Amino acid sequence: MVKVGVLGLQGAIREHVKALETKEAEIVVVKRIEQLDDLDGLVLPGGESTTMRRLINQYGFLEPLKAFAAEKPIFGTCAGLILLAERIDGMEESHIGVMNVKAKRNAFGRQRESFEAPLSVVGLEEPFIGVFIRAPYIEEVGEGVEVLATFNDKVVAARDGRFLACAYHPELTDDDRMHQLFIDMVLEFKKEGLATE
Amino acid sequence: MNQQTGTDRVKRGMAEMQKGGVIMDVVNAEQAKIAEEAGAVAVMALERVPSDIRAAGGVARMADPTIVEEVVNAVSIPVMAKCRIGHIVEARVLESMGVDYIDESEVLTPVDEEYHLDKRKYTVPFVCGARNLGEALRRVGEGAAMLRTKGEPGTGNVVEAVRHQRLIQSQIRKISSMSEDELMTEAKNLQAPFELLLQIKELGRLPVVNFAAGGIATPADAALMMELGSDGVFVGSGIFKSDNPEKFAKAIVEATTHYQDYELIAKISKNLGIAMPGIEISSLQPTERMQERGW
């Protein structure tokens, strides 16, 4: 059994918890830094990335999150993808900045352009309904990054080692296969970690 | 590829992303930037904040599009704007300008005393105010993708928002504990769509996000509304009618995130300066009560 946290500062926290609850995992909503200590993996939920970053700064979460990322798997959705990206279009600095991609914020437009569409995702047999809300996409993919899904030639899901990110919101659907992908990554990573110890 | 805009999931999902956050009323680009900097999840672009609308009297209408445009260009967080209850054209105009959410709001003077907008027909999502569950569900039935309490806007007095949120929450608890064969009668009593009652029973909560609004003036007020089960808060006049908007805005955001951390709320409430002046509700004439607008 693994222990997975959902960063609980702002956004669609409840939905991620609900999707993860059906899995072989203990779920923690992380509101304080010390709650990161004994987690095997962390989910960065969708929300407003600007707001989340303000709250991360205010509570001194940035360094602990970077330290966590140096060791453990993280799954970011929408705003979570922005937090993970090493490079962000139009911004000088990244946030956690651990995933070798360049992200573009609100890349599909404003709310009236928000949409849902079936996606073909590497590793999933049936199409996955992607719900895109003022969503970003991945503009450039660095070395070692596996593209998992595209929409109209834009990269909308990718994996870079222990980091998984998607531009859409799997937590807003009843389909928990993206969450299962992440739990599998966490399990795999934990097993490898134990083997090398 | 098969791409759909304006679906329920996309409209309601947008509000889901705002949860745990504070949406602030602003009247220009400068205020919008202060709100964004303080950690607001969205701003509501207005010509005047509710307390000024109250003071000015007369007919309150949709903001000048120049103001909305100015705010849209100033920030990267979502921008909301208000249209009058039932004003199809104001709503379409705001939609055409790329506003991210429209508040069909009792703060403005209604143009239609009988019919609210058919909000299902728009690509842009709507938020609406409610005093009780029946009103809330009638709005969801019309297509609202987000709800908020009406409270009593522009008063700096949170008593009405508390009343509305407490009532809605207790009505949800009642439905959760009813058996299905009692729900049609309850739907009749609430004057609400039956299918939505079934959904509430199944989910144990509303099918859309429900924020608090109307009279929130301090960090403790915001935390109180979260404690009572709100998904987030709207602050209208409370921030830019206070002594120190920057500090107030930050403190209200922080109190909303950590609404049960009372030591923290004590700390951030120190030396905030004077909150907006409040109005005792009983001193308002019935015609001055904005919450009576709409049904």
Side-chain angles (χ1 to χ4, degrees), chain B residues 191-268:
Chain B
Q191 298 181 285
F194 174 64
E195 289 70 22
L196 292 176
L197 268 66
L198 283 173
Q199 270 187 43
I200 289 179
K201 174 151 179 66
E202 193 195 322
L203 295 169
R205 57 175 172 80
L206 286 163
V208 300
V209 164
N210 180 24
F211 270 45
I216 296 159
T218 67
D221 286 353
L224 170 65
M225 294 314 299
M226 294 301 285
E227 181 75 44
L228 294 177
S230 310
D231 291 315
V233 297
F234 282 88
V235 185
S237 324
I239 289 168
F240 292 99
K241 286 288 160 189
S242 71
D243 257 7
N244 188 337
E246 283 93 346
K247 257 176 110 176
F248 249 85
K250 280 193 184 130
I252 288 180
V253 168
E254 218 171 322
T256 305
T257 311
H258 292 279
Y259 63 93
Q260 285 175 323
D261 188 338
Y262 309 117
E263 283 173 20
L264 179 88
I265 296 171
K267 196 178 96 191
I268 58 179

Coordinates of all heavy atoms in Angstrom, one line a residue, chain B residues 191-268:
Chain B
Q191 N -40.4 23.9 -4.7 CA -40.5 24.4 -6.1 C -39.2 24.3 -6.9 O -38.7 25.3 -7.4 CB -41.0 25.9 -6.0 CG -42.3 26.0 -5.4 CD -42.8 27.5 -5.4 OE1 -42.3 28.3 -4.6 NE2 -43.8 27.8 -6.2
A192 N -38.7 23.1 -6.8 CA -37.4 22.8 -7.5 C -37.5 21.5 -8.3 O -38.4 20.7 -8.1 CB -36.4 22.6 -6.4
P193 N -36.7 21.4 -9.4 CA -36.7 20.3 -10.3 C -36.5 18.9 -9.5 O -35.5 18.8 -8.8 CB -35.6 20.5 -11.3 CG -35.4 22.0 -11.2 CD -35.7 22.4 -9.8
F194 N -37.3 18.0 -9.7 CA -37.2 16.7 -9.0 C -35.9 16.0 -9.3 O -35.2 15.4 -8.4 CB -38.4 15.8 -9.5 CG -38.4 14.4 -9.0 CD1 -38.5 14.1 -7.7 CD2 -38.2 13.3 -9.9 CE1 -38.5 12.8 -7.2 CE2 -38.2 12.0 -9.5 CZ -38.3 11.7 -8.1
E195 N -35.4 16.0 -10.5 CA -34.2 15.3 -10.9 C -33.0 15.8 -10.1 O -32.1 15.1 -9.8 CB -33.9 15.5 -12.4 CG -34.8 14.7 -13.4 CD -36.2 15.3 -13.4 OE1 -36.4 16.5 -13.0 OE2 -37.1 14.5 -13.8
L196 N -33.0 17.1 -9.8 CA -31.9 17.7 -9.0 C -31.9 17.2 -7.6 O -30.9 17.1 -7.0 CB -31.9 19.2 -9.1 CG -31.6 19.8 -10.5 CD1 -31.8 21.3 -10.5 CD2 -30.2 19.4 -11.0
L197 N -33.2 17.0 -7.1 CA -33.2 16.5 -5.7 C -32.7 15.0 -5.6 O -32.0 14.7 -4.7 CB -34.7 16.4 -5.2 CG -35.1 17.7 -4.4 CD1 -35.1 18.9 -5.3 CD2 -36.5 17.5 -3.8
L198 N -33.0 14.3 -6.7 CA -32.4 12.9 -6.8 C -30.9 13.0 -6.8 O -30.2 12.2 -6.1 CB -32.9 12.2 -8.1 CG -34.3 11.6 -8.1 CD1 -34.6 11.1 -9.5 CD2 -34.4 10.5 -7.1
Q199 N -30.3 13.9 -7.5 CA -28.9 14.1 -7.6 C -28.3 14.5 -6.2 O -27.3 14.0 -5.8 CB -28.5 15.2 -8.6 CG -28.3 14.7 -10.0 CD -27.7 15.8 -10.9 OE1 -26.8 16.6 -10.5 NE2 -28.3 15.9 -12.0
I200 N -29.0 15.4 -5.5 CA -28.5 15.8 -4.2 C -28.5 14.6 -3.3 O -27.6 14.4 -2.5 CB -29.4 16.9 -3.6 CG1 -29.1 18.2 -4.4 CG2 -29.1 17.2 -2.2 CD1 -29.9 19.4 -4.0
K201 N -29.6 13.8 -3.3 CA -29.6 12.6 -2.5 C -28.4 11.7 -2.7 O -27.8 11.2 -1.8 CB -31.0 11.9 -2.6 CG -31.0 10.6 -1.9 CD -32.4 10.2 -1.5 CE -32.4 8.9 -0.7 NZ -31.6 9.0 0.6
E202 N -28.1 11.5 -4.0 CA -27.1 10.6 -4.4 C -25.7 11.2 -4.0 O -24.9 10.4 -3.4 CB -27.1 10.4 -5.9 CG -26.2 9.2 -6.4 CD -26.0 9.3 -7.9 OE1 -27.0 9.6 -8.6 OE2 -24.9 9.0 -8.3
L203 N -25.5 12.5 -4.2 CA -24.2 13.1 -4.0 C -24.0 13.5 -2.5 O -22.9 13.6 -2.0 CB -24.0 14.3 -4.9 CG -23.9 14.1 -6.4 CD1 -24.0 15.5 -7.1 CD2 -22.6 13.4 -6.8
G204 N -25.1 13.8 -1.8 CA -25.0 14.3 -0.5 C -24.6 15.8 -0.5 O -24.2 16.4 0.5
R205 N -24.6 16.4 -1.7 CA -24.3 17.9 -1.8 C -24.9 18.4 -3.1 O -25.5 17.6 -3.9 CB -22.8 18.1 -1.8 CG -22.1 17.3 -2.9 CD -20.6 17.6 -3.0 NE -19.9 16.7 -3.9 CZ -19.9 16.8 -5.2 NH1 -20.5 17.8 -5.8 NH2 -19.3 16.0 -6.0
L206 N -24.7 19.7 -3.3 CA -25.2 20.3 -4.6 C -24.4 19.8 -5.7 O -23.2 19.4 -5.6 CB -25.1 21.8 -4.5 CG -26.0 22.6 -3.6 CD1 -25.5 24.0 -3.3 CD2 -27.4 22.6 -4.3
P207 N -25.1 19.7 -6.9 CA -24.3 19.2 -8.1 C -23.3 20.3 -8.7 O -22.6 20.0 -9.6 CB -25.4 18.9 -9.1 CG -26.6 19.7 -8.7 CD -26.5 19.9 -7.2
V208 N -23.4 21.5 -8.1 CA -22.4 22.6 -8.6 C -21.8 23.2 -7.4 O -22.3 23.0 -6.2 CB -23.2 23.7 -9.4 CG1 -23.8 23.1 -10.7 CG2 -24.2 24.4 -8.6
V209 N -20.7 23.9 -7.6 CA -20.0 24.6 -6.6 C -20.9 25.7 -6.0 O -21.6 26.4 -6.7 CB -18.7 25.2 -7.2 CG1 -18.1 26.2 -6.3 CG2 -17.7 24.0 -7.5
N210 N -20.8 25.9 -4.7 CA -21.6 26.9 -4.0 C -20.7 27.9 -3.1 O -20.2 27.4 -2.1 CB -22.6 26.2 -3.1 CG -23.6 27.2 -2.4 OD1 -23.7 28.3 -2.8 ND2 -24.1 26.7 -1.3
F211 N -20.6 29.1 -3.5 CA -19.8 30.1 -2.8 C -20.6 30.9 -1.9 O -21.8 30.9 -2.0 CB -19.1 31.0 -3.8 CG -17.7 30.5 -4.3 CD1 -17.5 29.2 -4.6 CD2 -16.6 31.4 -4.3 CE1 -16.2 28.8 -5.1 CE2 -15.4 31.0 -4.8 CZ -15.2 29.7 -5.1
A212 N -20.0 31.6 -1.0 CA -20.7 32.6 -0.1 C -20.5 34.0 -0.7 O -19.4 34.3 -1.2 CB -20.1 32.5 1.3
A213 N -21.5 34.8 -0.6 CA -21.4 36.2 -1.0 C -22.4 37.1 -0.3 O -23.4 36.6 0.2 CB -21.7 36.3 -2.5
G214 N -22.1 38.4 -0.2 CA -23.1 39.3 0.3 C -22.8 39.7 1.7 O -23.3 39.1 2.7
G215 N -21.9 40.7 1.9 CA -21.7 41.2 3.3 C -20.4 40.8 4.0 O -20.2 41.1 5.1
I216 N -19.6 40.0 3.3 CA -18.3 39.5 3.9 C -17.3 40.7 4.0 O -17.0 41.3 2.9 CB -17.7 38.3 3.1 CG1 -18.7 37.2 3.2 CG2 -16.3 38.0 3.6 CD1 -18.5 36.1 2.1
A217 N -16.9 41.0 5.2 CA -16.1 42.2 5.4 C -14.7 42.0 6.0 O -13.8 42.8 6.0 CB -16.9 43.3 6.2
T218 N -14.5 40.9 6.7 CA -13.3 40.6 7.4 C -12.8 39.2 7.2 O -13.5 38.4 6.7 CB -13.5 40.8 9.0 OG1 -14.3 39.7 9.4 CG2 -14.1 42.1 9.3
P219 N -11.5 39.0 7.5 CA -11.0 37.6 7.3 C -11.8 36.6 8.1 O -12.1 35.5 7.7 CB -9.5 37.7 7.9 CG -9.2 39.1 7.7 CD -10.4 39.9 7.9
A220 N -12.2 37.0 9.3 CA -13.0 36.1 10.2 C -14.4 35.8 9.5 O -14.9 34.7 9.6 CB -13.2 36.7 11.6
D221 N -15.0 36.8 8.8 CA -16.2 36.5 8.1 C -16.0 35.5 7.0 O -16.9 34.6 6.9 CB -16.7 37.8 7.4 CG -17.3 38.9 8.4 OD1 -17.4 38.6 9.6 OD2 -17.6 40.0 7.9
A222 N -14.9 35.6 6.3 CA -14.7 34.7 5.2 C -14.5 33.3 5.8 O -15.0 32.3 5.2 CB -13.4 35.1 4.4
A223 N -13.7 33.1 6.8 CA -13.5 31.8 7.5 C -14.8 31.3 8.0 O -15.0 30.0 7.9 CB -12.5 32.0 8.6
L224 N -15.6 32.1 8.5 CA -16.9 31.6 9.0 C -17.8 31.0 7.9 O -18.3 29.9 8.1 CB -17.7 32.8 9.7 CG -19.2 32.5 10.0 CD1 -19.3 31.5 11.1 CD2 -19.9 33.8 10.4
M225 N -17.8 31.7 6.8 CA -18.6 31.2 5.7 C -18.0 29.8 5.2 O -18.8 29.0 4.7 CB -18.6 32.2 4.5 CG -19.4 33.5 4.9 SD -21.0 33.2 5.7 CE -21.9 32.3 4.5
M226 N -16.7 29.7 5.2 CA -16.1 28.4 4.9 C -16.5 27.3 5.9 O -16.8 26.2 5.5 CB -14.6 28.5 4.8 CG -14.0 29.4 3.7 SD -14.5 28.9 2.0 CE -13.5 27.5 1.8
E227 N -16.4 27.7 7.1 CA -16.8 26.8 8.2 C -18.3 26.3 8.0 O -18.6 25.1 8.3 CB -16.7 27.5 9.6 CG -17.1 26.8 10.8 CD -16.0 25.8 11.2 OE1 -14.8 26.2 11.1 OE2 -16.3 24.6 11.5
L228 N -19.1 27.1 7.5 CA -20.5 26.8 7.3 C -20.8 26.0 6.0 O -21.9 25.7 5.6 CB -21.4 28.0 7.3 CG -21.5 28.8 8.6 CD1 -22.3 30.1 8.5 CD2 -22.1 27.9 9.7
G229 N -19.7 25.6 5.3 CA -19.8 24.7 4.2 C -19.7 25.4 2.8 O -20.0 24.7 1.8
S230 N -19.3 26.7 2.7 CA -19.2 27.3 1.4 C -17.9 26.7 0.7 O -17.0 26.4 1.4 CB -19.0 28.8 1.6 OG -20.0 29.3 2.4
D231 N -17.9 26.7 -0.6 CA -16.8 26.2 -1.3 C -15.7 27.3 -1.6 O -14.6 27.0 -2.0 CB -17.2 25.7 -2.7 CG -18.0 24.4 -2.6 OD1 -17.6 23.5 -1.8 OD2 -19.1 24.3 -3.3
G232 N -16.1 28.5 -1.3 CA -15.2 29.7 -1.5 C -16.0 30.9 -1.2 O -17.2 30.8 -0.8
V233 N -15.4 32.1 -1.4 CA -16.1 33.3 -1.1 C -16.0 34.4 -2.1 O -14.9 34.5 -2.8 CB -15.7 33.9 0.3 CG1 -16.0 33.0 1.5 CG2 -14.2 34.3 0.3
F234 N -17.0 35.2 -2.3 CA -17.0 36.4 -3.1 C -16.8 37.6 -2.1 O -17.6 37.6 -1.1 CB -18.3 36.6 -3.8 CG -18.5 35.8 -5.1 CD1 -19.0 34.5 -5.0 CD2 -18.1 36.3 -6.3 CE1 -19.2 33.8 -6.2 CE2 -18.3 35.6 -7.5 CZ -18.9 34.3 -7.4
V235 N -15.9 38.5 -2.3 CA -15.9 39.7 -1.5 C -16.1 40.9 -2.4 O -15.4 41.1 -3.4 CB -14.6 39.8 -0.7 CG1 -14.6 41.0 0.2 CG2 -14.3 38.6 0.1
G236 N -17.2 41.6 -2.1 CA -17.6 42.7 -3.0 C -16.9 44.0 -2.5 O -15.7 44.3 -2.8
S237 N -17.6 44.7 -1.7 CA -17.2 46.0 -1.3 C -16.1 45.9 -0.2 O -15.3 46.8 0.1 CB -18.3 46.9 -0.7 OG -19.5 46.6 -1.5
G238 N -16.0 44.7 0.5 CA -15.2 44.5 1.7 C -13.7 44.9 1.5 O -13.1 45.3 2.5
I239 N -13.2 44.7 0.3 CA -11.8 44.9 0.2 C -11.4 46.3 -0.2 O -10.7 47.0 0.5 CB -11.2 43.9 -0.9 CG1 -11.2 42.5 -0.2 CG2 -9.8 44.3 -1.3 CD1 -10.9 41.4 -1.2
F240 N -12.0 46.8 -1.3 CA -11.6 48.2 -1.7 C -12.3 49.3 -1.0 O -12.1 50.5 -1.2 CB -11.7 48.3 -3.2 CG -10.7 47.4 -3.9 CD1 -11.0 46.1 -4.4 CD2 -9.3 47.8 -3.9 CE1 -10.0 45.3 -4.9 CE2 -8.4 47.0 -4.5 CZ -8.7 45.7 -5.0
K241 N -13.2 48.9 0.0 CA -13.8 50.0 0.8 C -13.2 49.9 2.2 O -13.6 50.6 3.1 CB -15.3 49.8 0.9 CG -16.1 50.1 -0.3 CD -16.1 51.7 -0.4 CE -16.5 52.1 -1.9 NZ -16.3 53.5 -2.1
S242 N -12.1 49.1 2.4 CA -11.5 49.0 3.7 C -10.3 50.0 3.6 O -10.0 50.6 2.6 CB -10.9 47.6 3.9 OG -9.8 47.4 3.1
D243 N -9.7 50.2 4.8 CA -8.6 51.2 5.0 C -7.4 50.8 4.1 O -6.7 51.6 3.5 CB -8.1 51.1 6.4 CG -8.6 52.3 7.2 OD1 -9.4 53.1 6.6 OD2 -8.2 52.5 8.3
N244 N -7.1 49.5 4.1 CA -5.8 49.0 3.4 C -6.1 47.8 2.6 O -6.0 46.7 3.0 CB -4.8 48.7 4.5 CG -3.5 48.4 3.9 OD1 -3.3 48.0 2.8 ND2 -2.4 48.5 4.7
P245 N -6.6 48.1 1.3 CA -7.0 47.0 0.4 C -6.0 45.9 0.2 O -6.4 44.7 0.3 CB -7.3 47.7 -0.9 CG -7.6 49.1 -0.5 CD -6.8 49.4 0.7
E246 N -4.7 46.2 0.0 CA -3.7 45.2 -0.2 C -3.7 44.2 1.0 O -3.7 43.0 0.8 CB -2.3 45.8 -0.3 CG -2.0 46.4 -1.6 CD -2.3 47.9 -1.6 OE1 -3.0 48.3 -0.7 OE2 -1.9 48.6 -2.6
K247 N -3.6 44.7 2.2 CA -3.5 43.9 3.4 C -4.8 43.1 3.6 O -4.8 41.9 3.9 CB -3.3 44.8 4.6 CG -1.8 44.7 5.1 CD -1.6 45.7 6.2 CE -1.4 45.0 7.5 NZ -1.1 45.9 8.6
F248 N -5.9 43.8 3.4 CA -7.2 43.1 3.6 C -7.4 41.9 2.6 O -7.8 40.9 3.0 CB -8.4 44.1 3.4 CG -9.1 44.4 4.6 CD1 -8.6 45.4 5.5 CD2 -10.3 43.7 5.0 CE1 -9.3 45.7 6.7 CE2 -10.9 44.0 6.2 CZ -10.4 45.0 7.0
A249 N -7.0 42.2 1.4 CA -7.2 41.2 0.3 C -6.4 39.9 0.7 O -6.8 38.8 0.6 CB -6.8 41.7 -1.0
K250 N -5.1 40.2 1.1 CA -4.2 39.0 1.4 C -4.7 38.3 2.6 O -4.8 37.0 2.6 CB -2.8 39.5 1.7 CG -2.0 39.8 0.5 CD -0.5 40.0 0.7 CE 0.2 40.3 -0.5 NZ 1.0 41.5 -0.5
A251 N -5.2 39.0 3.6 CA -5.7 38.4 4.8 C -6.9 37.6 4.6 O -7.1 36.5 5.1 CB -5.9 39.5 5.9
I252 N -7.8 38.1 3.7 CA -9.0 37.3 3.4 C -8.7 36.0 2.7 O -9.3 35.0 2.9 CB -10.1 38.2 2.7 CG1 -10.6 39.2 3.8 CG2 -11.2 37.4 2.1 CD1 -11.7 40.2 3.2
V253 N -7.8 36.1 1.7 CA -7.4 34.9 1.0 C -6.8 33.9 2.0 O -7.2 32.7 1.9 CB -6.3 35.3 -0.1 CG1 -5.6 34.0 -0.6 CG2 -6.9 36.1 -1.2
E254 N -5.9 34.3 2.9 CA -5.3 33.4 3.8 C -6.3 32.8 4.8 O -6.3 31.6 5.0 CB -4.2 34.1 4.6 CG -3.0 33.3 4.8 CD -1.8 34.1 5.4 OE1 -1.6 35.2 4.9 OE2 -1.2 33.5 6.2
A255 N -7.2 33.6 5.2 CA -8.2 33.1 6.2 C -9.2 32.1 5.5 O -9.7 31.1 6.1 CB -9.1 34.2 6.7
T256 N -9.4 32.2 4.2 CA -10.2 31.3 3.4 C -9.5 30.0 3.3 O -10.2 28.9 3.4 CB -10.6 31.9 2.1 OG1 -11.2 33.2 2.3 CG2 -11.6 31.1 1.3
T257 N -8.2 30.0 2.9 CA -7.5 28.7 2.8 C -7.4 28.0 4.1 O -7.6 26.8 4.2 CB -6.0 29.0 2.4 OG1 -6.1 29.9 1.3 CG2 -5.3 27.8 1.9
H258 N -7.1 28.7 5.2 CA -6.9 28.1 6.5 C -8.0 28.5 7.5 O -7.7 29.0 8.5 CB -5.5 28.5 7.0 CG -4.4 27.9 6.2 ND1 -3.9 26.6 6.3 CD2 -3.7 28.4 5.2 CE1 -3.0 26.4 5.5 NE2 -2.8 27.5 4.8
Y259 N -9.2 28.2 7.1 CA -10.3 28.7 7.9 C -10.4 28.1 9.3 O -11.2 28.6 10.1 CB -11.6 28.6 7.1 CG -12.1 27.2 6.7 CD1 -12.9 26.5 7.5 CD2 -11.6 26.6 5.6 CE1 -13.4 25.2 7.2 CE2 -12.0 25.3 5.2 CZ -12.9 24.7 6.1 OH -13.3 23.4 5.7
Q260 N -9.8 27.0 9.5 CA -9.8 26.4 10.8 C -8.6 26.7 11.7 O -8.4 26.1 12.8 CB -10.2 24.9 10.8 CG -11.6 24.7 10.4 CD -12.0 23.3 10.2 OE1 -11.2 22.5 9.6 NE2 -13.2 22.9 10.6
D261 N -7.7 27.5 11.1 CA -6.4 27.8 11.9 C -6.6 29.1 12.6 O -6.3 30.2 12.0 CB -5.3 27.8 10.9 CG -3.9 27.9 11.6 OD1 -3.9 28.4 12.8 OD2 -2.9 27.5 11.0
Y262 N -7.2 29.0 13.8 CA -7.6 30.3 14.4 C -6.4 31.2 14.9 O -6.5 32.4 14.9 CB -8.5 29.9 15.6 CG -9.6 29.0 15.1 CD1 -9.8 27.7 15.6 CD2 -10.5 29.4 14.1 CE1 -10.7 26.9 15.2 CE2 -11.5 28.6 13.6 CZ -11.6 27.3 14.2 OH -12.5 26.4 13.7
E263 N -5.3 30.5 15.2 CA -4.1 31.3 15.6 C -3.7 32.2 14.4 O -3.3 33.3 14.6 CB -3.0 30.4 16.1 CG -3.2 29.9 17.5 CD -2.2 28.9 17.9 OE1 -1.1 28.8 17.3 OE2 -2.5 28.2 18.9
L264 N -3.7 31.5 13.3 CA -3.3 32.2 12.1 C -4.2 33.4 11.8 O -3.8 34.5 11.4 CB -3.3 31.2 10.9 CG -2.9 31.9 9.5 CD1 -1.4 31.8 9.4 CD2 -3.5 31.2 8.4
I265 N -5.5 33.1 11.9 CA -6.5 34.2 11.6 C -6.3 35.3 12.6 O -6.4 36.5 12.2 CB -8.0 33.6 11.6 CG1 -8.1 32.6 10.5 CG2 -9.0 34.7 11.5 CD1 -9.4 31.8 10.5
A266 N -6.0 35.0 13.9 CA -5.7 36.1 14.8 C -4.6 36.9 14.4 O -4.6 38.1 14.4 CB -5.4 35.4 16.2
K267 N -3.5 36.2 13.9 CA -2.3 36.9 13.5 C -2.5 37.8 12.3 O -2.2 39.0 12.3 CB -1.2 35.8 13.1 CG 0.2 36.4 13.1 CD 1.2 35.3 12.7 CE 1.5 35.3 11.3 NZ 2.2 34.1 10.8
I268 N -3.2 37.3 11.3 CA -3.4 38.1 10.1 C -4.5 39.2 10.3 O -4.6 40.2 9.5 CB -3.8 37.3 8.9 CG1 -5.1 36.5 9.1 CG2 -2.7 36.4 8.5 CD1 -5.5 35.6 8.0

